[in-house]
Amino acid sequence: MKNSIKVERAKKNMTQQELAELIQVSRQTINSIEAGKYVPSTVLALKIAKIFGQPVELIFELEEGD
Amino acid sequence: MKNSIKVERAKKNMTQQELAELIQVSRQTINSIEAGKYVPSTVLALKIAKIFGQPVELIFELEEGD
DNA sequence: ACTTAATGTAAAGTATAATTTACATTTGGT
DNA sequence: ACCAAATGTAAATTATACTTTACATTAAGT
């Protein structure tokens, strides 16, 4: 699964720290998700999508093998 | 977080078993998600939404406390 | 009433998401 | 070059998603 969190963050000029605080997780959680180290829960995906004003499927995309 | 998987399944006349096979998880995983026992990963949410032809936000909804 | 498919539930185990702490590296401004 | 903010990375721990097995309950058909 890939995601465009980094891009959306850049659009809004938002740091990992700020995003982390907005959705109430640690900064490392955001960093790890961006780095593709793990797949977030649906709650996180919904919160992130909401903040960026985009549908979940536009920020998170399935890949081969998912 | 609540979801409308049961309803969408009913619309399509699909069993938990069938849905489970389509997204490659156990039947109990579907059952537990429907029962609200836990929040699925974003990969599962995307797969489920895809099968029902609905956006993720329409099937999975945040609640107070999420 | 009987049978069968579908669903609900539960316990134990495994895999993985998320946290915390800590430090290294990069980037941008002055 | 220096400083500070932001990002990358990593190990250890905790929380939770998911599996497997197994059994109980419900719903529907005959």
Side-chain angles (χ1 to χ4, degrees), chain A residues 5-61:
Chain A
I5 296 175
K6 200 167 183 173
V7 174
E8 295 300 324
R9 248 187 345 98
K11 283 189 194 168
K12 295 224 170 195
N13 212 47
M14 185 183 293
T15 70
Q16 292 181 340
Q17 182 69 44
E18 285 167 345
L19 178 55
E21 281 165 8
L22 281 172
I23 69 179
Q24 321 239 56
V25 294
S26 68
R27 179 180 70 80
Q28 283 72 7
T29 294
I30 298 298
N31 190 302
S32 296
I33 293 170
E34 281 190 8
K37 287 192 183 167
Y38 59 72
V39 174
S41 75
T42 300
V43 166
L44 290 196
L46 285 169
K47 284 184 175 180
I48 291 170
K50 190 177 182 183
I51 281 171
F52 292 136
Q54 306 268 6
V56 171
E57 21 286 89
L58 226 125
I59 295 179
F60 298 91
E61 251 181 287

Short mmCIF file of all heavy atoms in Angstrom, two decimals, chain A residues 5-61:
data_model
loop_
_atom_site.label_atom_id
_atom_site.label_comp_id
_atom_site.label_asym_id
_atom_site.label_seq_id
_atom_site.Cartn_x
_atom_site.Cartn_y
_atom_site.Cartn_z
N ILE A 5 0.77 11.00 1.72
CA ILE A 5 0.73 11.89 2.88
C ILE A 5 1.78 12.99 2.79
O ILE A 5 1.50 14.16 3.05
CB ILE A 5 0.94 11.09 4.19
CG1 ILE A 5 -0.22 10.11 4.39
CG2 ILE A 5 1.04 12.03 5.38
CD1 ILE A 5 -0.05 9.19 5.57
N LYS A 6 2.97 12.60 2.39
CA LYS A 6 4.06 13.57 2.30
C LYS A 6 3.69 14.72 1.35
O LYS A 6 3.93 15.88 1.67
CB LYS A 6 5.32 12.85 1.80
CG LYS A 6 6.61 13.57 2.11
CD LYS A 6 7.80 12.66 1.87
CE LYS A 6 9.12 13.34 2.23
NZ LYS A 6 10.26 12.40 2.15
N VAL A 7 3.12 14.36 0.24
CA VAL A 7 2.71 15.37 -0.75
C VAL A 7 1.62 16.27 -0.19
O VAL A 7 1.70 17.50 -0.30
CB VAL A 7 2.20 14.69 -2.04
CG1 VAL A 7 1.65 15.72 -3.01
CG2 VAL A 7 3.30 13.87 -2.69
N GLU A 8 0.63 15.67 0.41
CA GLU A 8 -0.48 16.46 0.97
C GLU A 8 0.02 17.36 2.08
O GLU A 8 -0.43 18.51 2.21
CB GLU A 8 -1.58 15.53 1.51
CG GLU A 8 -2.27 14.71 0.44
CD GLU A 8 -2.94 15.55 -0.63
OE1 GLU A 8 -3.48 16.63 -0.30
OE2 GLU A 8 -2.90 15.15 -1.82
N ARG A 9 0.97 16.87 2.83
CA ARG A 9 1.57 17.69 3.88
C ARG A 9 2.28 18.87 3.29
O ARG A 9 2.16 20.00 3.76
CB ARG A 9 2.55 16.83 4.69
CG ARG A 9 2.10 16.58 6.08
CD ARG A 9 3.10 15.90 6.96
NE ARG A 9 4.24 15.26 6.36
CZ ARG A 9 5.44 15.81 6.28
NH1 ARG A 9 5.64 17.02 6.74
NH2 ARG A 9 6.43 15.13 5.72
N ALA A 10 3.00 18.61 2.22
CA ALA A 10 3.75 19.68 1.54
C ALA A 10 2.78 20.75 1.02
O ALA A 10 3.02 21.94 1.17
CB ALA A 10 4.57 19.09 0.41
N LYS A 11 1.67 20.31 0.44
CA LYS A 11 0.67 21.25 -0.08
C LYS A 11 0.19 22.20 1.01
O LYS A 11 -0.01 23.38 0.77
CB LYS A 11 -0.55 20.48 -0.59
CG LYS A 11 -0.38 19.82 -1.95
CD LYS A 11 -1.75 19.30 -2.41
CE LYS A 11 -1.62 18.33 -3.57
NZ LYS A 11 -2.90 17.61 -3.82
N LYS A 12 0.01 21.64 2.20
CA LYS A 12 -0.51 22.44 3.31
C LYS A 12 0.62 23.02 4.17
O LYS A 12 0.37 23.63 5.20
CB LYS A 12 -1.41 21.58 4.19
CG LYS A 12 -2.67 21.11 3.48
CD LYS A 12 -3.88 21.26 4.38
CE LYS A 12 -5.17 21.02 3.61
NZ LYS A 12 -6.35 21.50 4.33
N ASN A 13 1.87 22.74 3.74
CA ASN A 13 3.01 23.22 4.50
C ASN A 13 2.93 22.81 5.97
O ASN A 13 3.02 23.63 6.88
CB ASN A 13 3.10 24.74 4.38
CG ASN A 13 4.52 25.21 4.44
OD1 ASN A 13 5.38 24.64 3.75
ND2 ASN A 13 4.79 26.23 5.23
N MET A 14 2.73 21.53 6.17
CA MET A 14 2.51 21.00 7.51
C MET A 14 3.63 20.03 7.88
O MET A 14 4.06 19.24 7.05
CB MET A 14 1.16 20.26 7.49
CG MET A 14 0.70 19.75 8.83
SD MET A 14 -0.85 18.82 8.65
CE MET A 14 -1.97 20.12 8.18
N THR A 15 4.12 20.11 9.10
CA THR A 15 5.19 19.20 9.53
C THR A 15 4.58 17.86 10.01
O THR A 15 3.38 17.78 10.29
CB THR A 15 6.01 19.79 10.70
OG1 THR A 15 5.20 19.81 11.86
CG2 THR A 15 6.49 21.18 10.36
N GLN A 16 5.44 16.87 10.11
CA GLN A 16 5.00 15.56 10.62
C GLN A 16 4.47 15.73 12.04
O GLN A 16 3.45 15.14 12.41
CB GLN A 16 6.17 14.58 10.62
CG GLN A 16 6.64 14.20 9.23
CD GLN A 16 7.79 13.20 9.26
OE1 GLN A 16 8.48 13.05 10.27
NE2 GLN A 16 8.00 12.52 8.15
N GLN A 17 5.17 16.55 12.79
CA GLN A 17 4.77 16.82 14.17
C GLN A 17 3.36 17.40 14.24
O GLN A 17 2.53 16.95 15.03
CB GLN A 17 5.77 17.80 14.78
CG GLN A 17 5.49 18.15 16.24
CD GLN A 17 5.75 16.97 17.16
OE1 GLN A 17 6.75 16.27 17.03
NE2 GLN A 17 4.83 16.73 18.09
N GLU A 18 3.09 18.38 13.39
CA GLU A 18 1.77 19.01 13.41
C GLU A 18 0.68 18.02 13.04
O GLU A 18 -0.37 17.95 13.71
CB GLU A 18 1.74 20.19 12.42
CG GLU A 18 2.48 21.42 12.92
CD GLU A 18 2.72 22.46 11.82
OE1 GLU A 18 2.57 22.10 10.61
OE2 GLU A 18 3.08 23.60 12.15
N LEU A 19 0.93 17.26 11.99
CA LEU A 19 -0.06 16.26 11.58
C LEU A 19 -0.28 15.26 12.70
O LEU A 19 -1.42 14.90 13.02
CB LEU A 19 0.41 15.55 10.30
CG LEU A 19 -0.51 14.45 9.78
CD1 LEU A 19 -1.93 14.96 9.55
CD2 LEU A 19 0.05 13.83 8.50
N ALA A 20 0.82 14.82 13.30
CA ALA A 20 0.74 13.86 14.41
C ALA A 20 -0.15 14.39 15.53
O ALA A 20 -1.02 13.67 16.03
CB ALA A 20 2.13 13.56 14.94
N GLU A 21 0.02 15.66 15.85
CA GLU A 21 -0.79 16.25 16.93
C GLU A 21 -2.25 16.33 16.52
O GLU A 21 -3.14 16.06 17.32
CB GLU A 21 -0.24 17.63 17.30
CG GLU A 21 1.00 17.54 18.19
CD GLU A 21 1.77 18.86 18.28
OE1 GLU A 21 1.27 19.88 17.77
OE2 GLU A 21 2.88 18.85 18.85
N LEU A 22 -2.49 16.70 15.29
CA LEU A 22 -3.87 16.82 14.82
C LEU A 22 -4.63 15.49 14.91
O LEU A 22 -5.81 15.47 15.23
CB LEU A 22 -3.90 17.32 13.37
CG LEU A 22 -3.68 18.82 13.18
CD1 LEU A 22 -3.54 19.15 11.71
CD2 LEU A 22 -4.86 19.59 13.78
N ILE A 23 -3.95 14.41 14.60
CA ILE A 23 -4.66 13.13 14.65
C ILE A 23 -4.30 12.33 15.90
O ILE A 23 -4.68 11.17 16.00
CB ILE A 23 -4.43 12.29 13.39
CG1 ILE A 23 -3.00 11.80 13.30
CG2 ILE A 23 -4.77 13.07 12.14
CD1 ILE A 23 -2.76 10.95 12.10
N GLN A 24 -3.58 12.94 16.81
CA GLN A 24 -3.29 12.34 18.10
C GLN A 24 -2.49 11.04 18.05
O GLN A 24 -2.86 10.05 18.67
CB GLN A 24 -4.58 12.07 18.86
CG GLN A 24 -5.59 13.16 18.69
CD GLN A 24 -5.99 13.78 20.01
OE1 GLN A 24 -5.13 14.25 20.77
NE2 GLN A 24 -7.26 13.78 20.31
N VAL A 25 -1.42 11.07 17.29
CA VAL A 25 -0.49 9.95 17.32
C VAL A 25 0.91 10.51 17.48
O VAL A 25 1.09 11.73 17.47
CB VAL A 25 -0.55 9.09 16.02
CG1 VAL A 25 -1.89 8.40 15.89
CG2 VAL A 25 -0.22 9.93 14.80
N SER A 26 1.89 9.65 17.63
CA SER A 26 3.26 10.12 17.77
C SER A 26 3.81 10.53 16.40
O SER A 26 3.32 10.09 15.36
CB SER A 26 4.12 9.02 18.36
OG SER A 26 4.27 7.97 17.43
N ARG A 27 4.84 11.35 16.43
CA ARG A 27 5.46 11.79 15.18
C ARG A 27 6.02 10.60 14.42
O ARG A 27 5.96 10.54 13.20
CB ARG A 27 6.58 12.79 15.47
CG ARG A 27 7.30 13.29 14.25
CD ARG A 27 8.40 14.27 14.62
NE ARG A 27 9.51 13.62 15.29
CZ ARG A 27 10.48 12.96 14.66
NH1 ARG A 27 10.46 12.85 13.35
NH2 ARG A 27 11.46 12.41 15.33
N GLN A 28 6.56 9.64 15.16
CA GLN A 28 7.16 8.46 14.51
C GLN A 28 6.11 7.64 13.79
O GLN A 28 6.41 7.00 12.78
CB GLN A 28 7.88 7.59 15.54
CG GLN A 28 9.23 8.13 15.97
CD GLN A 28 9.10 9.36 16.85
OE1 GLN A 28 8.01 9.73 17.24
NE2 GLN A 28 10.21 10.01 17.14
N THR A 29 4.90 7.68 14.29
CA THR A 29 3.84 6.96 13.60
C THR A 29 3.63 7.56 12.21
O THR A 29 3.57 6.83 11.21
CB THR A 29 2.53 7.01 14.42
OG1 THR A 29 2.72 6.29 15.63
CG2 THR A 29 1.38 6.39 13.65
N ILE A 30 3.57 8.86 12.15
CA ILE A 30 3.42 9.53 10.85
C ILE A 30 4.63 9.23 9.96
O ILE A 30 4.48 8.83 8.80
CB ILE A 30 3.33 11.07 11.03
CG1 ILE A 30 2.10 11.44 11.86
CG2 ILE A 30 3.28 11.76 9.67
CD1 ILE A 30 0.79 11.06 11.25
N ASN A 31 5.79 9.38 10.53
CA ASN A 31 7.01 9.13 9.77
C ASN A 31 7.03 7.71 9.20
O ASN A 31 7.33 7.50 8.02
CB ASN A 31 8.23 9.35 10.68
CG ASN A 31 9.53 9.34 9.90
OD1 ASN A 31 9.84 8.38 9.23
ND2 ASN A 31 10.28 10.43 9.97
N SER A 32 6.68 6.75 10.03
CA SER A 32 6.70 5.35 9.60
C SER A 32 5.65 5.06 8.52
O SER A 32 5.89 4.29 7.61
CB SER A 32 6.47 4.43 10.79
OG SER A 32 7.52 4.57 11.72
N ILE A 33 4.51 5.68 8.65
CA ILE A 33 3.47 5.48 7.64
C ILE A 33 3.94 6.07 6.32
O ILE A 33 3.82 5.44 5.26
CB ILE A 33 2.13 6.11 8.08
CG1 ILE A 33 1.57 5.37 9.29
CG2 ILE A 33 1.13 6.10 6.94
CD1 ILE A 33 0.38 6.06 9.94
N GLU A 34 4.48 7.27 6.37
CA GLU A 34 4.99 7.92 5.15
C GLU A 34 6.06 7.06 4.50
O GLU A 34 6.12 6.92 3.28
CB GLU A 34 5.57 9.30 5.47
CG GLU A 34 4.52 10.37 5.64
CD GLU A 34 5.13 11.78 5.73
OE1 GLU A 34 6.35 11.93 5.51
OE2 GLU A 34 4.37 12.73 6.01
N ALA A 35 6.91 6.48 5.35
CA ALA A 35 8.02 5.67 4.85
C ALA A 35 7.56 4.28 4.40
O ALA A 35 8.36 3.49 3.92
CB ALA A 35 9.08 5.54 5.94
N GLY A 36 6.27 4.01 4.56
CA GLY A 36 5.74 2.72 4.14
C GLY A 36 6.12 1.57 5.04
O GLY A 36 6.05 0.41 4.65
N LYS A 37 6.52 1.90 6.26
CA LYS A 37 6.93 0.83 7.18
C LYS A 37 5.76 0.02 7.69
O LYS A 37 5.91 -1.14 8.02
CB LYS A 37 7.72 1.41 8.36
CG LYS A 37 9.11 1.83 7.96
CD LYS A 37 9.96 2.12 9.19
CE LYS A 37 11.34 2.62 8.76
NZ LYS A 37 12.08 3.20 9.90
N TYR A 38 4.61 0.63 7.78
CA TYR A 38 3.41 -0.16 8.08
C TYR A 38 2.14 0.52 7.63
O TYR A 38 2.13 1.70 7.28
CB TYR A 38 3.35 -0.56 9.54
CG TYR A 38 3.35 0.57 10.52
CD1 TYR A 38 2.23 1.37 10.68
CD2 TYR A 38 4.46 0.83 11.30
CE1 TYR A 38 2.22 2.42 11.59
CE2 TYR A 38 4.46 1.87 12.20
CZ TYR A 38 3.33 2.66 12.34
OH TYR A 38 3.31 3.69 13.22
N VAL A 39 1.09 -0.26 7.62
CA VAL A 39 -0.22 0.18 7.17
C VAL A 39 -1.02 0.69 8.36
O VAL A 39 -1.18 -0.03 9.34
CB VAL A 39 -0.96 -1.00 6.54
CG1 VAL A 39 -2.38 -0.62 6.19
CG2 VAL A 39 -0.20 -1.50 5.33
N PRO A 40 -1.52 1.90 8.29
CA PRO A 40 -2.28 2.44 9.42
C PRO A 40 -3.65 1.80 9.56
O PRO A 40 -4.14 1.18 8.62
CB PRO A 40 -2.41 3.91 9.07
CG PRO A 40 -2.36 3.96 7.59
CD PRO A 40 -1.44 2.87 7.18
N SER A 41 -4.26 1.99 10.70
CA SER A 41 -5.62 1.51 10.90
C SER A 41 -6.57 2.43 10.12
O SER A 41 -6.21 3.52 9.71
CB SER A 41 -5.99 1.56 12.37
OG SER A 41 -6.22 2.90 12.77
N THR A 42 -7.78 1.94 9.95
CA THR A 42 -8.78 2.71 9.20
C THR A 42 -9.12 4.02 9.91
O THR A 42 -9.37 5.03 9.27
CB THR A 42 -10.04 1.86 8.98
OG1 THR A 42 -9.68 0.70 8.24
CG2 THR A 42 -11.10 2.63 8.21
N VAL A 43 -9.08 4.00 11.22
CA VAL A 43 -9.34 5.24 11.97
C VAL A 43 -8.32 6.31 11.59
O VAL A 43 -8.69 7.45 11.28
CB VAL A 43 -9.30 5.00 13.49
CG1 VAL A 43 -9.23 6.30 14.25
CG2 VAL A 43 -10.52 4.21 13.94
N LEU A 44 -7.06 5.93 11.55
CA LEU A 44 -6.02 6.90 11.17
C LEU A 44 -6.21 7.36 9.73
O LEU A 44 -6.11 8.54 9.42
CB LEU A 44 -4.63 6.30 11.35
CG LEU A 44 -4.17 6.07 12.78
CD1 LEU A 44 -2.67 5.86 12.82
CD2 LEU A 44 -4.54 7.24 13.66
N ALA A 45 -6.50 6.42 8.86
CA ALA A 45 -6.69 6.76 7.44
C ALA A 45 -7.82 7.77 7.29
O ALA A 45 -7.69 8.76 6.55
CB ALA A 45 -6.97 5.51 6.62
N LEU A 46 -8.92 7.54 7.97
CA LEU A 46 -10.06 8.46 7.89
C LEU A 46 -9.70 9.84 8.43
O LEU A 46 -10.04 10.86 7.82
CB LEU A 46 -11.25 7.89 8.68
CG LEU A 46 -12.00 6.73 8.03
CD1 LEU A 46 -12.97 6.10 9.02
CD2 LEU A 46 -12.74 7.17 6.77
N LYS A 47 -8.99 9.86 9.54
CA LYS A 47 -8.60 11.14 10.13
C LYS A 47 -7.67 11.92 9.20
O LYS A 47 -7.82 13.13 9.02
CB LYS A 47 -7.89 10.90 11.46
CG LYS A 47 -8.80 10.53 12.60
CD LYS A 47 -7.98 10.41 13.87
CE LYS A 47 -8.83 10.15 15.10
NZ LYS A 47 -7.99 10.03 16.32
N ILE A 48 -6.71 11.20 8.64
CA ILE A 48 -5.74 11.85 7.75
C ILE A 48 -6.44 12.39 6.51
O ILE A 48 -6.23 13.54 6.11
CB ILE A 48 -4.62 10.85 7.37
CG1 ILE A 48 -3.76 10.54 8.59
CG2 ILE A 48 -3.76 11.40 6.23
CD1 ILE A 48 -2.77 9.39 8.41
N ALA A 49 -7.28 11.56 5.92
CA ALA A 49 -8.01 11.99 4.71
C ALA A 49 -8.86 13.21 5.00
O ALA A 49 -8.93 14.15 4.21
CB ALA A 49 -8.86 10.84 4.20
N LYS A 50 -9.48 13.19 6.16
CA LYS A 50 -10.34 14.30 6.56
C LYS A 50 -9.55 15.61 6.65
O LYS A 50 -9.98 16.64 6.15
CB LYS A 50 -10.97 13.97 7.92
CG LYS A 50 -12.07 14.90 8.38
CD LYS A 50 -12.64 14.38 9.70
CE LYS A 50 -13.79 15.24 10.22
NZ LYS A 50 -14.26 14.74 11.54
N ILE A 51 -8.40 15.51 7.27
CA ILE A 51 -7.56 16.70 7.43
C ILE A 51 -7.13 17.27 6.09
O ILE A 51 -7.08 18.48 5.89
CB ILE A 51 -6.34 16.38 8.31
CG1 ILE A 51 -6.77 16.36 9.76
CG2 ILE A 51 -5.21 17.38 8.08
CD1 ILE A 51 -5.74 15.85 10.71
N PHE A 52 -6.87 16.41 5.14
CA PHE A 52 -6.42 16.88 3.84
C PHE A 52 -7.58 17.13 2.89
O PHE A 52 -7.38 17.51 1.74
CB PHE A 52 -5.43 15.88 3.24
CG PHE A 52 -4.12 15.82 3.98
CD1 PHE A 52 -3.53 14.60 4.26
CD2 PHE A 52 -3.49 16.98 4.38
CE1 PHE A 52 -2.32 14.55 4.96
CE2 PHE A 52 -2.28 16.94 5.07
CZ PHE A 52 -1.70 15.72 5.36
N GLY A 53 -8.78 16.90 3.35
CA GLY A 53 -9.95 17.15 2.53
C GLY A 53 -10.00 16.32 1.26
O GLY A 53 -10.45 16.77 0.21
N GLN A 54 -9.51 15.09 1.38
CA GLN A 54 -9.48 14.19 0.23
C GLN A 54 -10.11 12.86 0.62
O GLN A 54 -10.03 12.47 1.78
CB GLN A 54 -8.03 13.91 -0.18
CG GLN A 54 -7.21 15.14 -0.44
CD GLN A 54 -7.24 15.56 -1.90
OE1 GLN A 54 -7.96 14.98 -2.70
NE2 GLN A 54 -6.47 16.57 -2.24
N PRO A 55 -10.66 12.15 -0.36
CA PRO A 55 -11.16 10.81 -0.06
C PRO A 55 -10.01 9.87 0.30
O PRO A 55 -8.90 10.04 -0.20
CB PRO A 55 -11.84 10.36 -1.35
CG PRO A 55 -11.38 11.30 -2.40
CD PRO A 55 -10.96 12.57 -1.74
N VAL A 56 -10.28 8.91 1.14
CA VAL A 56 -9.28 7.94 1.57
C VAL A 56 -8.57 7.29 0.38
O VAL A 56 -7.35 7.18 0.37
CB VAL A 56 -9.90 6.85 2.47
CG1 VAL A 56 -8.92 5.72 2.74
CG2 VAL A 56 -10.40 7.44 3.77
N GLU A 57 -9.36 6.90 -0.63
CA GLU A 57 -8.72 6.18 -1.74
C GLU A 57 -7.81 7.06 -2.59
O GLU A 57 -7.06 6.55 -3.41
CB GLU A 57 -9.68 5.38 -2.63
CG GLU A 57 -11.15 5.71 -2.67
CD GLU A 57 -11.93 5.28 -1.45
OE1 GLU A 57 -11.98 6.11 -0.53
OE2 GLU A 57 -12.51 4.19 -1.43
N LEU A 58 -7.87 8.37 -2.36
CA LEU A 58 -6.97 9.24 -3.10
C LEU A 58 -5.64 9.38 -2.39
O LEU A 58 -4.61 9.68 -2.98
CB LEU A 58 -7.61 10.61 -3.28
CG LEU A 58 -7.50 11.15 -4.70
CD1 LEU A 58 -8.87 11.52 -5.24
CD2 LEU A 58 -6.57 12.35 -4.75
N ILE A 59 -5.64 9.15 -1.11
CA ILE A 59 -4.41 9.26 -0.33
C ILE A 59 -3.75 7.90 -0.12
O ILE A 59 -2.54 7.78 -0.12
CB ILE A 59 -4.71 9.94 1.02
CG1 ILE A 59 -5.15 11.39 0.73
CG2 ILE A 59 -3.49 9.92 1.92
CD1 ILE A 59 -5.50 12.18 1.95
N PHE A 60 -4.59 6.88 0.01
CA PHE A 60 -4.08 5.52 0.21
C PHE A 60 -4.47 4.66 -0.98
O PHE A 60 -5.64 4.59 -1.33
CB PHE A 60 -4.63 4.91 1.49
CG PHE A 60 -4.22 5.66 2.73
CD1 PHE A 60 -5.01 6.69 3.23
CD2 PHE A 60 -3.03 5.36 3.37
CE1 PHE A 60 -4.63 7.39 4.36
CE2 PHE A 60 -2.64 6.05 4.51
CZ PHE A 60 -3.44 7.07 5.00
N GLU A 61 -3.48 4.02 -1.58
CA GLU A 61 -3.76 3.21 -2.75
C GLU A 61 -3.23 1.79 -2.61
O GLU A 61 -2.08 1.59 -2.21
CB GLU A 61 -3.12 3.85 -3.99
CG GLU A 61 -4.14 4.45 -4.96
CD GLU A 61 -3.41 5.03 -6.16
OE1 GLU A 61 -2.77 6.09 -6.01
OE2 GLU A 61 -3.48 4.42 -7.25
#
